[in-house]
């Protein structure tokens, strides 16, 4: 090949590549997309990754069907590798300008190739979902359908690498399956996430259902728990993904990065992109005002955030924000299982998982959804060796016919099982009360936790003293004059309450230490510092890593 032929070949290469990357499935389709206020998959990828870091894989992929060869650049999928805050990540997504981003033989192979590469290299994968499902007629018949399996590697992932799905358009099959196997799912409001579309539902069942009713953000955020976060705009989704990944290690055999504990209100803490600490002694937050979450000094105002009366509601987030590093609480599924808070955060720069009672809703009682949410967080943190902090102020599990029918028993035992199998460090803080099996399910003594701490006023018992008094008294109250019943009941409640303080359990070494509430942050930070040097056996199987949780 002479020099002129070489130049022609190079020019043809650039022409083809730029046409595929610039025009996708056609400039008119891109224009219609933009007119609806939507973005292309390439624009989503560029918005997520560090500028100029995208290395595409499979640019010249095309449909395996000759008649569709010219009209399927990329075959409905786009992907490759790049950087997020300088860290390697694989990214892929559905190109709705090419046959509605539907899944076919070559497009599916492209995604599977990227997934396998991410697993080999040990870095996260992020998927942008917006697909019409399996492509027809490509997948009709045994020959076509057998060539588009969901990909065994997806289900063998075992949380060796973090996986995130962002639903940026209506998603049926394909990316909806990816989302159900992901560690984080973010859904753009106005989209639908479902196994199949309303049209197919109507044809198959005769049921007419709207997109939002079938799989909108309200359904998944509150009812199914299929998503962790609902967002209003793509840029918000990118920010949430970047922040989530900042807490996690790139893979299961690498520890999460410790960062400097920034002072209250700092820009670094708010962005979730604090600098790596320079050594084990850094990150103390020196110079921050006492009581701010950037300091390890005592916080004398912390205890006052929790009302002394056990029946009074309050927002546990206010406590967490003072105990965790500033602006570091990253709550997951906040509208699902609202009696419990789960998420990620930092204490003195250490990445931690957080499982906390939320007395603001249902007095903090655990229902099946709250149990599911806790199990999901425990499984993820255990897979990536992130310590878990439990904050208890729980009256017990929900009771009643409906929750029993919703599987309260099996969900409670799944939570207990997950806690028992988790090998990552676990620390428990009792704030005000903890009754029944819920005490053990949220990290009570002898459940494999590394330490149990308690505030002095905490109550621990089989049941609430007020309820217990009714059981103890039984029919006695009815035999007393009406004007004496209240006093007798109060007397029994007081007697039972006296036995619920933490000193009895501490005397038996079932509680490691009773602490001043003001010292909560410092106690947890120092414990995490000690646990940082723990031995780690990467060859030891972690059963929770492969536990499906959605």
């Amino acid at each position: 090949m002479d020099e002129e032929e070489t130049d022609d070949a190079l020019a043809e290469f650039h022409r083809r590549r730029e046409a595929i990357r610039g025009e996708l499935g056609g400039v008119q389709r891109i224009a219609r997309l933009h007119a609806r206020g939507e973005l292309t998959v390439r624009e989503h990828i560029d918005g997520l990754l560090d500028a100029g870091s995208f290395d595409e894989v499979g640019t010249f992929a095309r449909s395996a069907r000759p008649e569709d060869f010219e009209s399927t650049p990329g075959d409905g999928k786009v992907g490759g590798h790049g950087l997020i805050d300088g860290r390697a990540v694989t990214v892929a997504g559905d190109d709705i300008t090419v046959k509605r981003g539907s899944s076919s033989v070559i497009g599916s192979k492209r995604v599977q190739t990227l997934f396998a590469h991410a697993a080999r290299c040990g870095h996260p994968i992020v998927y942008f979902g917006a697909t019409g499902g399996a492509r027809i007629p490509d997948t009709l018949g045994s020959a076509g359908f057998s060539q588009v399996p969901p990909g065994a590697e997806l289900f063998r992932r075992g949380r060796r690498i973090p996986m995130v799905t962002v639903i940026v358009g209506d998603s049926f099959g394909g990316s909806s399956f990816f989302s159900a196997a992901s560690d984080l799912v973010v859904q753009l409001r106005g989209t639908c996430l479902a196994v199949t579309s309303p049209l197919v539902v109507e044809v198959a069942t005769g049921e007419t259902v709207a997109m939002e009713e079938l799989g909108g953000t309200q359904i998944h955020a509150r009812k199914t728990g299929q998503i962790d976060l609902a967002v209003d705009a793509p840029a918000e989704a990118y920010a949430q993904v970047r922040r989530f990944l900042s807490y996690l290690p790139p893979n299961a055999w690498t520890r999460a990065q410790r960062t400097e504990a920034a002072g209250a209100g700092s820009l670094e803490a708010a962005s979730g992109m604090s600098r790596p600490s320079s050594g084990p002694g850094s990150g103390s937050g020196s110079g921050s005002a006492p009581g701010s979450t950037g300091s390890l000094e005592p916080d004398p105002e912390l205890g006052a955030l929790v009302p002394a009366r056990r029946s009074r509601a309050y927002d546990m987030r206010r406590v967490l924000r003072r105990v965790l590093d500033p602006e570091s609480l990253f709550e997951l599924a906040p509208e699902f299982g609202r009696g419990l808070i789960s998420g990620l955060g930092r204490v003195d720069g250490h990445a931690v998982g957080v499982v906390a009672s939320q007395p603001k809703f249902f007095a903090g009682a655990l229902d099946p959804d709250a149990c599911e949410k806790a199990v999901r967080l425990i499984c993820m943190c255990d897979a990536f060796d992130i310590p878990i902090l439990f904050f208890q102020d729980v009256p017990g599990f929900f009771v009643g016919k409906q929750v029993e029918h919703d599987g309260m028993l099996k969900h409670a035992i799944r939570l207990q099982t997950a806690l028992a199998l988790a090998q990552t460090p676990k620390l428990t803080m009792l704030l005000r009360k903890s009754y029944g099996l819920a005490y053990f399910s949220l990290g009570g003594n002898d459940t494999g936790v590394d330490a149990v701490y308690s505030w002095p006023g905490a109550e621990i018992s089989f049941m609430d003293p007020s309820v217990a008094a009714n059981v103890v008294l039984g029919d006695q109250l009815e035999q007393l004059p009406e004007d004496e019943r209240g006093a007798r009941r109060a007397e029994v409640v007081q007697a039972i309450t006296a036995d619920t303080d933490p000193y009895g359990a501490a005397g038996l070494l079932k509680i490691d230490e009773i602490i001043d509430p003001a010292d909560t942050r410092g106690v947890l930070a120092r414990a995490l510092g000690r646990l940082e040097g723990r031995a780690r056996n990467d060859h030891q199987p972690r059963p929770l890593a492969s536990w499906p949780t959605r």
Side-chain angles (χ1 to χ4, degrees), residues 13 89 121 143 155 181 201 265 269 315 342 387 526 540:
F13 156 72
V89 64
C121 294
F155 306 107
V201 169
D315 190 347
S342 74
R526 289 187 289 274
Q540 183 177 4

Side-chain angles (χ1 to χ4, degrees), residues 396-453:
F397 287 92
F398 265 79
V399 296
K401 182 176 73 174
Q402 186 58 55
V403 292
E404 292 291 350
H405 292 181
D406 289 340
M408 185 73 263
L409 179 60
K410 68 181 179 184
H411 282 285
I413 298 307
R414 282 175 186 169
L415 174 52
Q416 196 72 51
T417 303
L419 179 64
L421 293 177
Q423 301 169 28
T424 196
K426 300 171 288 292
L427 300 171
T428 300
M429 187 68 63
L430 307 179
L431 274 60
R432 186 172 63 169
K433 63 181 182 297
S434 190
Y435 302 134
L437 181 63
Y439 165 69
F440 294 105
S441 297
L442 294 182
N445 60 270
D446 299 323
T447 60
V449 298
D450 292 271
V452 178
Y453 303 104

Side-chain angles (χ1 to χ4, degrees), residues 34-251:
H34 288 168
R36 298 197 301 267
E38 301 176 29
L39 302 177
T40 68
V41 63
R42 292 182 180 277
E43 289 168 329
H44 285 304
I45 290 173
D46 289 342
L48 175 68
L49 298 180
D50 295 351
S53 69
F54 184 46
D55 289 325
E56 187 160 352
V57 174
T59 300
F60 299 98
R62 299 274 181 169
S63 171
R65 295 172 64 89
E67 62 270 32
D68 289 334
F69 188 84
E70 293 300 326
S71 62
T72 54
D75 205 24
K77 312 294 177 184
V78 174
H81 314 293
L83 301 174
I84 292 180
D85 297 332
R87 300 167 65 190
V89 64
T90 292
V91 61
D94 304 314
D95 179 6
I96 59 176
T97 70
V98 176
K99 294 189 178 294
R100 188 57 184 81
S102 53
S103 300
S104 61
V105 175
I106 302 302
S108 298
K109 183 177 180 180
R110 186 177 185 184
V111 172
Q112 291 166 17
T113 298
L114 289 167
F115 191 95
H117 185 87
R120 284 197 305 273
C121 294
H123 57 244
I125 185 165
V126 179
Y127 198 91
F128 288 100
T131 177
R135 188 178 302 170
I136 296 175
D138 302 49
T139 56
L140 294 179
S142 62
F145 187 64
S146 63
Q147 295 185 75
V148 288
E153 278 301 313
L154 172 67
F155 306 107
R156 293 194 190 111
R157 177 176 68 102
R159 293 188 182 85
R160 289 170 295 163
I161 58 173
M163 183 171 177
V164 174
T165 297
V166 185
I167 301 299
V168 293
D170 296 334
S171 296
F172 311 111
S175 52
S176 68
F177 302 152
F178 294 155
S179 74
S182 291
D183 301 302
L184 177 76
V185 182
V186 182
Q187 184 178 2
L188 190 63
R189 288 190 176 90
T191 65
C192 179
L193 168 63
V195 173
T196 191
S197 69
L199 176 60
V200 175
V201 169
E202 184 174 2
V203 170
T205 70
E207 179 184 10
T208 301
V209 59
M211 288 278 202
E212 180 65 32
E213 184 185 3
L214 180 66
T217 54
Q218 289 288 82
I219 295 296
H220 291 312
R222 296 184 178 181
K223 187 175 180 65
T224 70
Q226 282 295 123
I227 68 171
D228 296 292
L229 299 168
V231 298
D232 293 311
E236 185 181 353
Y238 313 150
Q240 298 288 25
V241 172
R242 293 169 75 96
R243 189 177 179 202
F244 173 77
L245 292 177
S246 74
Y247 293 97
L248 270 61
N251 50 60

